[in-house]
Every structure is written in C-alpha cells, then in structure tokens.
PDB file of all heavy atoms in Angstrom:
ATOM      1  N   GLY A   1      15.855  -3.568   6.992  1.00 94.00           N
ATOM      2  CA  GLY A   1      15.807  -2.134   6.580  1.00 94.00           C
ATOM      3  C   GLY A   1      15.115  -1.970   5.307  1.00 94.00           C
ATOM      4  O   GLY A   1      14.219  -0.963   5.151  1.00 94.00           O
ATOM      5  N   ALA A   2      15.307  -2.795   4.310  1.00 95.00           N
ATOM      6  CA  ALA A   2      14.654  -2.672   3.025  1.00 95.00           C
ATOM      7  C   ALA A   2      13.133  -2.891   3.231  1.00 95.00           C
ATOM      8  O   ALA A   2      12.334  -2.298   2.687  1.00 95.00           O
ATOM      9  CB  ALA A   2      15.216  -3.638   1.997  1.00 95.00           C
ATOM     10  N   ALA A   3      12.831  -3.943   4.123  1.00 95.00           N
ATOM     11  CA  ALA A   3      11.437  -4.249   4.429  1.00 95.00           C
ATOM     12  C   ALA A   3      10.661  -3.133   4.962  1.00 95.00           C
ATOM     13  O   ALA A   3       9.557  -2.815   4.710  1.00 95.00           O
ATOM     14  CB  ALA A   3      11.371  -5.446   5.311  1.00 95.00           C
ATOM     15  N   GLU A   4      11.388  -2.381   5.996  1.00 96.00           N
ATOM     16  CA  GLU A   4      10.873  -1.106   6.525  1.00 96.00           C
ATOM     17  C   GLU A   4      10.546  -0.138   5.393  1.00 96.00           C
ATOM     18  O   GLU A   4       9.419   0.459   5.402  1.00 96.00           O
ATOM     19  CB  GLU A   4      11.847  -0.596   7.619  1.00 96.00           C
ATOM     20  CG  GLU A   4      11.310   0.519   8.337  1.00 96.00           C
ATOM     21  CD  GLU A   4      10.179   0.212   9.350  1.00 96.00           C
ATOM     22  OE1 GLU A   4      10.219  -0.958   9.819  1.00 96.00           O
ATOM     23  OE2 GLU A   4       9.378   1.072   9.723  1.00 96.00           O
ATOM     24  N   ASP A   5      11.545   0.189   4.645  1.00 96.00           N
ATOM     25  CA  ASP A   5      11.332   1.109   3.534  1.00 96.00           C
ATOM     26  C   ASP A   5      10.236   0.761   2.557  1.00 96.00           C
ATOM     27  O   ASP A   5       9.349   1.625   2.287  1.00 96.00           O
ATOM     28  CB  ASP A   5      12.595   1.323   2.726  1.00 96.00           C
ATOM     29  CG  ASP A   5      13.763   2.045   3.493  1.00 96.00           C
ATOM     30  OD1 ASP A   5      13.368   2.574   4.528  1.00 96.00           O
ATOM     31  OD2 ASP A   5      14.852   1.903   3.038  1.00 96.00           O
ATOM     32  N   LEU A   6      10.163  -0.481   2.146  1.00 96.00           N
ATOM     33  CA  LEU A   6       9.059  -0.983   1.266  1.00 96.00           C
ATOM     34  C   LEU A   6       7.676  -0.823   2.006  1.00 96.00           C
ATOM     35  O   LEU A   6       6.719  -0.620   1.330  1.00 96.00           O
ATOM     36  CB  LEU A   6       9.358  -2.388   0.893  1.00 96.00           C
ATOM     37  CG  LEU A   6      10.612  -2.500   0.016  1.00 96.00           C
ATOM     38  CD1 LEU A   6      10.949  -4.097  -0.157  1.00 96.00           C
ATOM     39  CD2 LEU A   6      10.380  -1.891  -1.358  1.00 96.00           C
ATOM     40  N   THR A   7       7.626  -1.138   3.292  1.00 96.00           N
ATOM     41  CA  THR A   7       6.323  -1.163   3.966  1.00 96.00           C
ATOM     42  C   THR A   7       5.859   0.352   4.006  1.00 96.00           C
ATOM     43  O   THR A   7       4.627   0.660   3.659  1.00 96.00           O
ATOM     44  CB  THR A   7       6.560  -1.579   5.523  1.00 96.00           C
ATOM     45  OG1 THR A   7       7.049  -2.934   5.431  1.00 96.00           O
ATOM     46  CG2 THR A   7       5.273  -1.286   6.275  1.00 96.00           C
ATOM     47  N   HIS A   8       6.886   1.321   4.190  1.00 96.00           N
ATOM     48  CA  HIS A   8       6.422   2.747   4.116  1.00 96.00           C
ATOM     49  C   HIS A   8       5.937   3.143   2.673  1.00 96.00           C
ATOM     50  O   HIS A   8       5.022   3.837   2.548  1.00 96.00           O
ATOM     51  CB  HIS A   8       7.543   3.633   4.670  1.00 96.00           C
ATOM     52  CG  HIS A   8       7.812   3.517   6.184  1.00 96.00           C
ATOM     53  ND1 HIS A   8       7.103   4.374   7.049  1.00 96.00           N
ATOM     54  CD2 HIS A   8       8.577   2.709   6.907  1.00 96.00           C
ATOM     55  CE1 HIS A   8       7.479   3.971   8.276  1.00 96.00           C
ATOM     56  NE2 HIS A   8       8.357   2.983   8.188  1.00 96.00           N
ATOM     57  N   ASP A   9       6.683   2.658   1.706  1.00 96.00           N
ATOM     58  CA  ASP A   9       6.295   2.906   0.340  1.00 96.00           C
ATOM     59  C   ASP A   9       4.863   2.338   0.064  1.00 96.00           C
ATOM     60  O   ASP A   9       4.190   2.994  -0.597  1.00 96.00           O
ATOM     61  CB  ASP A   9       7.267   2.314  -0.660  1.00 96.00           C
ATOM     62  CG  ASP A   9       8.569   3.115  -0.698  1.00 96.00           C
ATOM     63  OD1 ASP A   9       8.651   4.171  -0.149  1.00 96.00           O
ATOM     64  OD2 ASP A   9       9.556   2.490  -1.314  1.00 96.00           O
ATOM     65  N   ALA A  10       4.600   1.147   0.583  1.00 96.00           N
ATOM     66  CA  ALA A  10       3.282   0.538   0.270  1.00 96.00           C
ATOM     67  C   ALA A  10       2.176   1.388   1.029  1.00 96.00           C
ATOM     68  O   ALA A  10       1.159   1.699   0.335  1.00 96.00           O
ATOM     69  CB  ALA A  10       3.222  -0.899   0.920  1.00 96.00           C
ATOM     70  N   PHE A  11       2.446   1.957   2.148  1.00 95.00           N
ATOM     71  CA  PHE A  11       1.500   2.821   2.900  1.00 95.00           C
ATOM     72  C   PHE A  11       1.350   4.140   2.214  1.00 95.00           C
ATOM     73  O   PHE A  11       0.325   4.773   2.093  1.00 95.00           O
ATOM     74  CB  PHE A  11       1.763   2.916   4.338  1.00 95.00           C
ATOM     75  CG  PHE A  11       1.208   1.716   5.152  1.00 95.00           C
ATOM     76  CD1 PHE A  11       2.052   0.606   5.465  1.00 95.00           C
ATOM     77  CD2 PHE A  11      -0.053   1.723   5.589  1.00 95.00           C
ATOM     78  CE1 PHE A  11       1.350  -0.430   6.176  1.00 95.00           C
ATOM     79  CE2 PHE A  11      -0.549   0.715   6.290  1.00 95.00           C
ATOM     80  CZ  PHE A  11       0.191  -0.394   6.522  1.00 95.00           C
ATOM     81  N   LEU A  12       2.433   4.689   1.668  1.00 95.00           N
ATOM     82  CA  LEU A  12       2.391   5.981   0.833  1.00 95.00           C
ATOM     83  C   LEU A  12       1.455   5.658  -0.342  1.00 95.00           C
ATOM     84  O   LEU A  12       0.630   6.539  -0.638  1.00 95.00           O
ATOM     85  CB  LEU A  12       3.795   6.340   0.458  1.00 95.00           C
ATOM     86  CG  LEU A  12       3.804   7.542  -0.528  1.00 95.00           C
ATOM     87  CD1 LEU A  12       3.320   8.812   0.203  1.00 95.00           C
ATOM     88  CD2 LEU A  12       5.233   7.732  -1.012  1.00 95.00           C
ATOM     89  N   ARG A  13       1.612   4.554  -0.990  1.00 96.00           N
ATOM     90  CA  ARG A  13       0.730   4.315  -2.154  1.00 96.00           C
ATOM     91  C   ARG A  13      -0.773   4.202  -1.632  1.00 96.00           C
ATOM     92  O   ARG A  13      -1.604   4.575  -2.514  1.00 96.00           O
ATOM     93  CB  ARG A  13       1.175   3.128  -2.926  1.00 96.00           C
ATOM     94  CG  ARG A  13       2.588   3.415  -3.591  1.00 96.00           C
ATOM     95  CD  ARG A  13       3.116   2.294  -4.319  1.00 96.00           C
ATOM     96  NE  ARG A  13       4.420   2.568  -4.728  1.00 96.00           N
ATOM     97  CZ  ARG A  13       4.920   2.479  -6.005  1.00 96.00           C
ATOM     98  NH1 ARG A  13       4.118   1.805  -6.959  1.00 96.00           N
ATOM     99  NH2 ARG A  13       6.097   2.775  -6.421  1.00 96.00           N
ATOM    100  N   LEU A  14      -0.918   3.511  -0.641  1.00 95.00           N
ATOM    101  CA  LEU A  14      -2.273   3.358  -0.018  1.00 95.00           C
ATOM    102  C   LEU A  14      -2.904   4.855   0.181  1.00 95.00           C
ATOM    103  O   LEU A  14      -4.003   5.073  -0.119  1.00 95.00           O
ATOM    104  CB  LEU A  14      -2.304   2.577   1.233  1.00 95.00           C
ATOM    105  CG  LEU A  14      -3.664   2.545   1.897  1.00 95.00           C
ATOM    106  CD1 LEU A  14      -4.721   1.726   1.066  1.00 95.00           C
ATOM    107  CD2 LEU A  14      -3.555   1.802   3.355  1.00 95.00           C
ATOM    108  N   THR A  15      -1.939   5.717   0.755  1.00 94.00           N
ATOM    109  CA  THR A  15      -2.463   7.003   1.051  1.00 94.00           C
ATOM    110  C   THR A  15      -2.974   7.727  -0.269  1.00 94.00           C
ATOM    111  O   THR A  15      -3.992   8.380  -0.325  1.00 94.00           O
ATOM    112  CB  THR A  15      -1.352   7.805   1.693  1.00 94.00           C
ATOM    113  OG1 THR A  15      -1.028   7.234   2.917  1.00 94.00           O
ATOM    114  CG2 THR A  15      -1.799   9.254   2.032  1.00 94.00           C
ATOM    115  N   LEU A  16      -2.173   7.577  -1.299  1.00 93.00           N
ATOM    116  CA  LEU A  16      -2.477   8.094  -2.575  1.00 93.00           C
ATOM    117  C   LEU A  16      -3.878   7.598  -3.187  1.00 93.00           C
ATOM    118  O   LEU A  16      -4.625   8.281  -3.695  1.00 93.00           O
ATOM    119  CB  LEU A  16      -1.335   7.959  -3.654  1.00 93.00           C
ATOM    120  CG  LEU A  16       0.021   8.626  -3.251  1.00 93.00           C
ATOM    121  CD1 LEU A  16       1.101   8.255  -4.162  1.00 93.00           C
ATOM    122  CD2 LEU A  16      -0.247  10.181  -3.211  1.00 93.00           C
ATOM    123  N   GLU A  17      -4.000   6.273  -3.029  1.00 95.00           N
ATOM    124  CA  GLU A  17      -5.136   5.632  -3.540  1.00 95.00           C
ATOM    125  C   GLU A  17      -6.344   6.065  -2.834  1.00 95.00           C
ATOM    126  O   GLU A  17      -7.492   6.312  -3.376  1.00 95.00           O
ATOM    127  CB  GLU A  17      -5.016   4.030  -3.459  1.00 95.00           C
ATOM    128  CG  GLU A  17      -4.132   3.454  -4.467  1.00 95.00           C
ATOM    129  CD  GLU A  17      -4.573   3.643  -5.868  1.00 95.00           C
ATOM    130  OE1 GLU A  17      -5.656   3.307  -6.227  1.00 95.00           O
ATOM    131  OE2 GLU A  17      -3.687   4.213  -6.674  1.00 95.00           O
ATOM    132  N   VAL A  18      -6.256   6.068  -1.464  1.00 94.00           N
ATOM    133  CA  VAL A  18      -7.455   6.527  -0.687  1.00 94.00           C
ATOM    134  C   VAL A  18      -7.766   7.992  -0.948  1.00 94.00           C
ATOM    135  O   VAL A  18      -8.968   8.344  -1.122  1.00 94.00           O
ATOM    136  CB  VAL A  18      -7.169   6.263   0.807  1.00 94.00           C
ATOM    137  CG1 VAL A  18      -8.320   6.907   1.620  1.00 94.00           C
ATOM    138  CG2 VAL A  18      -7.031   4.869   1.145  1.00 94.00           C
ATOM    139  N   GLY A  19      -6.666   8.824  -1.151  1.00 92.00           N
ATOM    140  CA  GLY A  19      -6.920  10.162  -1.526  1.00 92.00           C
ATOM    141  C   GLY A  19      -7.524  10.404  -2.868  1.00 92.00           C
ATOM    142  O   GLY A  19      -8.300  11.399  -2.996  1.00 92.00           O
ATOM    143  N   ALA A  20      -7.275   9.475  -3.732  1.00 92.00           N
ATOM    144  CA  ALA A  20      -7.956   9.529  -5.047  1.00 92.00           C
ATOM    145  C   ALA A  20      -9.323   8.990  -5.113  1.00 92.00           C
ATOM    146  O   ALA A  20      -9.979   8.856  -6.194  1.00 92.00           O
ATOM    147  CB  ALA A  20      -7.081   8.869  -6.073  1.00 92.00           C
ATOM    148  N   GLY A  21      -9.814   8.468  -3.868  1.00 92.00           N
ATOM    149  CA  GLY A  21     -11.083   7.913  -3.841  1.00 92.00           C
ATOM    150  C   GLY A  21     -11.240   6.461  -4.256  1.00 92.00           C
ATOM    151  O   GLY A  21     -12.272   5.879  -4.593  1.00 92.00           O
ATOM    152  N   ARG A  22     -10.032   5.661  -4.254  1.00 94.00           N
ATOM    153  CA  ARG A  22     -10.016   4.380  -4.703  1.00 94.00           C
ATOM    154  C   ARG A  22      -9.555   3.477  -3.596  1.00 94.00           C
ATOM    155  O   ARG A  22      -8.554   2.736  -3.689  1.00 94.00           O
ATOM    156  CB  ARG A  22      -9.085   4.141  -5.927  1.00 94.00           C
ATOM    157  CG  ARG A  22      -9.452   4.966  -7.236  1.00 94.00           C
ATOM    158  CD  ARG A  22      -8.525   4.768  -8.245  1.00 94.00           C
ATOM    159  NE  ARG A  22      -7.159   5.124  -7.980  1.00 94.00           N
ATOM    160  CZ  ARG A  22      -6.472   6.226  -8.375  1.00 94.00           C
ATOM    161  NH1 ARG A  22      -7.128   7.053  -9.045  1.00 94.00           N
ATOM    162  NH2 ARG A  22      -5.284   6.366  -8.076  1.00 94.00           N
ATOM    163  N   THR A  23     -10.170   3.489  -2.491  1.00 94.00           N
ATOM    164  CA  THR A  23      -9.924   2.703  -1.356  1.00 94.00           C
ATOM    165  C   THR A  23     -10.094   1.152  -1.618  1.00 94.00           C
ATOM    166  O   THR A  23     -11.130   0.701  -2.146  1.00 94.00           O
ATOM    167  CB  THR A  23     -10.895   2.931  -0.103  1.00 94.00           C
ATOM    168  OG1 THR A  23     -10.701   4.271   0.219  1.00 94.00           O
ATOM    169  CG2 THR A  23     -10.431   2.165   1.183  1.00 94.00           C
ATOM    170  N   PRO A  24      -9.048   0.344  -1.545  1.00 95.00           N
ATOM    171  CA  PRO A  24      -9.142  -1.066  -1.864  1.00 95.00           C
ATOM    172  C   PRO A  24     -10.230  -1.702  -0.941  1.00 95.00           C
ATOM    173  O   PRO A  24     -10.455  -1.400   0.220  1.00 95.00           O
ATOM    174  CB  PRO A  24      -7.777  -1.554  -1.484  1.00 95.00           C
ATOM    175  CG  PRO A  24      -6.881  -0.361  -1.455  1.00 95.00           C
ATOM    176  CD  PRO A  24      -7.721   0.687  -1.062  1.00 95.00           C
ATOM    177  N   ASP A  25     -10.808  -2.803  -1.479  1.00 95.00           N
ATOM    178  CA  ASP A  25     -11.817  -3.554  -0.732  1.00 95.00           C
ATOM    179  C   ASP A  25     -11.168  -4.321   0.414  1.00 95.00           C
ATOM    180  O   ASP A  25     -11.716  -4.345   1.485  1.00 95.00           O
ATOM    181  CB  ASP A  25     -12.573  -4.513  -1.669  1.00 95.00           C
ATOM    182  CG  ASP A  25     -13.445  -3.840  -2.779  1.00 95.00           C
ATOM    183  OD1 ASP A  25     -13.874  -2.677  -2.492  1.00 95.00           O
ATOM    184  OD2 ASP A  25     -13.572  -4.309  -3.885  1.00 95.00           O
ATOM    185  N   ASP A  26     -10.012  -4.919   0.099  1.00 96.00           N
ATOM    186  CA  ASP A  26      -9.343  -5.721   1.161  1.00 96.00           C
ATOM    187  C   ASP A  26      -7.954  -4.928   1.329  1.00 96.00           C
ATOM    188  O   ASP A  26      -6.986  -5.279   0.601  1.00 96.00           O
ATOM    189  CB  ASP A  26      -9.158  -7.107   0.757  1.00 96.00           C
ATOM    190  CG  ASP A  26      -8.553  -7.975   1.868  1.00 96.00           C
ATOM    191  OD1 ASP A  26      -7.975  -7.433   2.740  1.00 96.00           O
ATOM    192  OD2 ASP A  26      -8.683  -9.259   1.717  1.00 96.00           O
ATOM    193  N   ILE A  27      -7.910  -4.086   2.238  1.00 96.00           N
ATOM    194  CA  ILE A  27      -6.680  -3.211   2.405  1.00 96.00           C
ATOM    195  C   ILE A  27      -5.444  -4.125   2.773  1.00 96.00           C
ATOM    196  O   ILE A  27      -4.374  -3.906   2.204  1.00 96.00           O
ATOM    197  CB  ILE A  27      -6.931  -2.105   3.426  1.00 96.00           C
ATOM    198  CG1 ILE A  27      -7.844  -1.146   2.863  1.00 96.00           C
ATOM    199  CG2 ILE A  27      -5.583  -1.381   3.771  1.00 96.00           C
ATOM    200  CD1 ILE A  27      -8.318  -0.008   3.849  1.00 96.00           C
ATOM    201  N   GLY A  28      -5.647  -5.129   3.681  1.00 96.00           N
ATOM    202  CA  GLY A  28      -4.463  -5.931   4.023  1.00 96.00           C
ATOM    203  C   GLY A  28      -3.874  -6.731   2.789  1.00 96.00           C
ATOM    204  O   GLY A  28      -2.713  -6.684   2.603  1.00 96.00           O
ATOM    205  N   ALA A  29      -4.746  -7.258   2.078  1.00 96.00           N
ATOM    206  CA  ALA A  29      -4.264  -8.020   0.869  1.00 96.00           C
ATOM    207  C   ALA A  29      -3.651  -7.056  -0.089  1.00 96.00           C
ATOM    208  O   ALA A  29      -2.635  -7.263  -0.774  1.00 96.00           O
ATOM    209  CB  ALA A  29      -5.480  -8.800   0.207  1.00 96.00           C
ATOM    210  N   TRP A  30      -4.258  -5.898  -0.337  1.00 96.00           N
ATOM    211  CA  TRP A  30      -3.764  -4.818  -1.232  1.00 96.00           C
ATOM    212  C   TRP A  30      -2.248  -4.500  -0.846  1.00 96.00           C
ATOM    213  O   TRP A  30      -1.363  -4.382  -1.656  1.00 96.00           O
ATOM    214  CB  TRP A  30      -4.651  -3.809  -1.164  1.00 96.00           C
ATOM    215  CG  TRP A  30      -4.336  -2.706  -2.323  1.00 96.00           C
ATOM    216  CD1 TRP A  30      -4.794  -2.627  -3.593  1.00 96.00           C
ATOM    217  CD2 TRP A  30      -3.525  -1.577  -2.107  1.00 96.00           C
ATOM    218  NE1 TRP A  30      -4.290  -1.534  -4.129  1.00 96.00           N
ATOM    219  CE2 TRP A  30      -3.460  -0.899  -3.345  1.00 96.00           C
ATOM    220  CE3 TRP A  30      -2.643  -0.997  -1.086  1.00 96.00           C
ATOM    221  CZ2 TRP A  30      -2.713   0.280  -3.575  1.00 96.00           C
ATOM    222  CZ3 TRP A  30      -2.025   0.150  -1.326  1.00 96.00           C
ATOM    223  CH2 TRP A  30      -1.950   0.721  -2.539  1.00 96.00           C
ATOM    224  N   LEU A  31      -2.052  -4.181   0.458  1.00 96.00           N
ATOM    225  CA  LEU A  31      -0.785  -3.699   1.005  1.00 96.00           C
ATOM    226  C   LEU A  31       0.231  -4.901   0.820  1.00 96.00           C
ATOM    227  O   LEU A  31       1.401  -4.579   0.446  1.00 96.00           O
ATOM    228  CB  LEU A  31      -0.887  -3.360   2.488  1.00 96.00           C
ATOM    229  CG  LEU A  31      -1.565  -2.040   2.753  1.00 96.00           C
ATOM    230  CD1 LEU A  31      -1.867  -1.997   4.302  1.00 96.00           C
ATOM    231  CD2 LEU A  31      -0.735  -0.926   2.426  1.00 96.00           C
ATOM    232  N   HIS A  32      -0.186  -6.100   1.104  1.00 97.00           N
ATOM    233  CA  HIS A  32       0.821  -7.215   0.882  1.00 97.00           C
ATOM    234  C   HIS A  32       1.139  -7.387  -0.595  1.00 97.00           C
ATOM    235  O   HIS A  32       2.392  -7.507  -0.875  1.00 97.00           O
ATOM    236  CB  HIS A  32       0.247  -8.510   1.371  1.00 97.00           C
ATOM    237  CG  HIS A  32       0.388  -8.687   2.833  1.00 97.00           C
ATOM    238  ND1 HIS A  32      -0.599  -8.072   3.725  1.00 97.00           N
ATOM    239  CD2 HIS A  32       1.234  -9.389   3.662  1.00 97.00           C
ATOM    240  CE1 HIS A  32      -0.247  -8.371   5.011  1.00 97.00           C
ATOM    241  NE2 HIS A  32       0.874  -9.206   4.958  1.00 97.00           N
ATOM    242  N   ARG A  33       0.274  -7.227  -1.519  1.00 97.00           N
ATOM    243  CA  ARG A  33       0.494  -7.352  -2.990  1.00 97.00           C
ATOM    244  C   ARG A  33       1.426  -6.149  -3.448  1.00 97.00           C
ATOM    245  O   ARG A  33       2.365  -6.304  -4.128  1.00 97.00           O
ATOM    246  CB  ARG A  33      -0.822  -7.416  -3.786  1.00 97.00           C
ATOM    247  CG  ARG A  33      -0.690  -7.319  -5.230  1.00 97.00           C
ATOM    248  CD  ARG A  33       0.271  -8.312  -5.781  1.00 97.00           C
ATOM    249  NE  ARG A  33       0.120  -9.684  -5.537  1.00 97.00           N
ATOM    250  CZ  ARG A  33       1.092 -10.632  -5.556  1.00 97.00           C
ATOM    251  NH1 ARG A  33       2.130 -10.383  -6.066  1.00 97.00           N
ATOM    252  NH2 ARG A  33       0.868 -11.825  -5.059  1.00 97.00           N
ATOM    253  N   VAL A  34       0.998  -4.876  -3.022  1.00 96.00           N
ATOM    254  CA  VAL A  34       1.884  -3.752  -3.406  1.00 96.00           C
ATOM    255  C   VAL A  34       3.226  -3.877  -2.877  1.00 96.00           C
ATOM    256  O   VAL A  34       4.186  -3.617  -3.585  1.00 96.00           O
ATOM    257  CB  VAL A  34       1.109  -2.468  -2.955  1.00 96.00           C
ATOM    258  CG1 VAL A  34       2.073  -1.276  -3.137  1.00 96.00           C
ATOM    259  CG2 VAL A  34      -0.110  -2.211  -3.791  1.00 96.00           C
ATOM    260  N   GLY A  35       3.384  -4.256  -1.539  1.00 96.00           N
ATOM    261  CA  GLY A  35       4.653  -4.523  -0.937  1.00 96.00           C
ATOM    262  C   GLY A  35       5.462  -5.534  -1.707  1.00 96.00           C
ATOM    263  O   GLY A  35       6.686  -5.417  -1.946  1.00 96.00           O
ATOM    264  N   HIS A  36       4.861  -6.729  -2.096  1.00 97.00           N
ATOM    265  CA  HIS A  36       5.507  -7.740  -2.808  1.00 97.00           C
ATOM    266  C   HIS A  36       5.911  -7.164  -4.143  1.00 97.00           C
ATOM    267  O   HIS A  36       7.171  -7.421  -4.594  1.00 97.00           O
ATOM    268  CB  HIS A  36       4.519  -8.969  -3.007  1.00 97.00           C
ATOM    269  CG  HIS A  36       5.072 -10.017  -3.835  1.00 97.00           C
ATOM    270  ND1 HIS A  36       5.909 -11.031  -3.158  1.00 97.00           N
ATOM    271  CD2 HIS A  36       5.110 -10.329  -5.122  1.00 97.00           C
ATOM    272  CE1 HIS A  36       6.262 -11.831  -4.154  1.00 97.00           C
ATOM    273  NE2 HIS A  36       5.765 -11.456  -5.288  1.00 97.00           N
TER     274      HIS A  36
END
C-alpha cells in the first residue's frame, strides 16, 4: 500500500517537473530515485 502511494507521488512529481519544462533525461532512473 505504501509502495502504491509512493509510486503515485513519484509520478505526481514527474508531472510537475515536465510541466515546468524540466523533463528528466532518463525518466525511469529519475522515477526510481525520487521514489526511493
């Protein structure tokens, strides 16, 4: 359950980053690091 919530939080942060024009170069690695 916590992993599910954290995954959604990581994708929310990705949405904010992309919306601000700062799309990560390696989205998968970025999501894993933010989730961690």
Side-chain angles (χ1 to χ4, degrees):
E4 183 74 26
D5 289 344
L6 294 169
T7 300
H8 288 272
D9 286 347
F11 277 93
L12 174 63
R13 290 176 187 229
L14 175 64
T15 303
L16 295 172
E17 287 298 304
V18 172
R22 298 184 301 258
T23 303
D25 293 333
D26 185 343
I27 292 177
W30 187 91
L31 286 166
H32 280 82
R33 174 50 51 199
V34 169
H36 180 84

